[in-house]
Amino acid sequence: MSRVLIADDEDSMRSLVARAIAMDGHEIVTAEDGAEALEILSRENGAFDLLLSDIKMPIMDGIALALTAARDFPDVTILLMTGFADQRERASGLDAIVHDVVTKPFSVADIRSAVARALASRKA
């Protein structure tokens, strides 16, 4: 299956999303913030199919992470998630590099579907 890197500063959300996506057989790697996610991406030479990141995080937010990841690892599909309308607005200008923005709260089925759509777009 696919390799997915999840970046979220909330332990419970990170673990919920990781478990949900793992149900579909994907290999999951997690990071507590954007800086750690970027470190993992760099260390593994961008060897991920999908970067799933929260937007609002300390140290490096999801927007900065998405911009850097898209520049350095253009083959990685990017999916963002947020519970804040203003953060969603910030991401709206990133259509060229971000597949979609998933609004929190979401169900396990919602996040699994969003990930499946993002991964399917890679093959198109």
Side-chain angles (χ1 to χ4, degrees), residues 8 11 19 22 36 52 55 60 64 75 79 82-84 89 115:
D8 196 310
D11 287 341
R19 282 194 316 270
E36 184 183 3
L52 175 57
I55 294 177
M60 173 185 262
D75 292 338
L79 186 61
T82 188
F84 300 92
E89 288 299 311
V115 166

Side-chain angles (χ1 to χ4, degrees), residues 31-96:
E32 293 182 13
D33 58 53
E36 184 183 3
L38 192 55
E39 224 172 80
I40 292 167
L41 271 172
S42 297
R43 185 175 64 233
E44 301 207 17
N45 231 2
F48 289 90
D49 299 294
L50 179 68
L51 168 61
L52 175 57
S53 176
D54 189 20
I55 294 177
K56 193 173 175 91
M57 295 184 291
I59 303 175
M60 173 185 262
D61 72 9
I63 303 278
L65 172 60
L67 290 167
T68 307
R71 181 194 69 209
D72 297 348
F73 309 103
D75 292 338
V76 176
T77 299
I78 301 169
L79 186 61
L80 296 177
M81 48 189 174
T82 188
F84 300 92
D86 63 320
Q87 298 300 321
R88 191 174 175 84
E89 288 299 311
R90 282 184 59 216
S92 66
L94 302 177
D95 291 346

Side-chain angles (χ1 to χ4, degrees), residues 88-105:
R88 191 174 175 84
E89 288 299 311
R90 282 184 59 216
S92 66
L94 302 177
D95 291 346
I97 63 167
V98 173
H99 175 76
D100 198 6
V101 180
V102 182
T103 304
K104 293 179 183 177

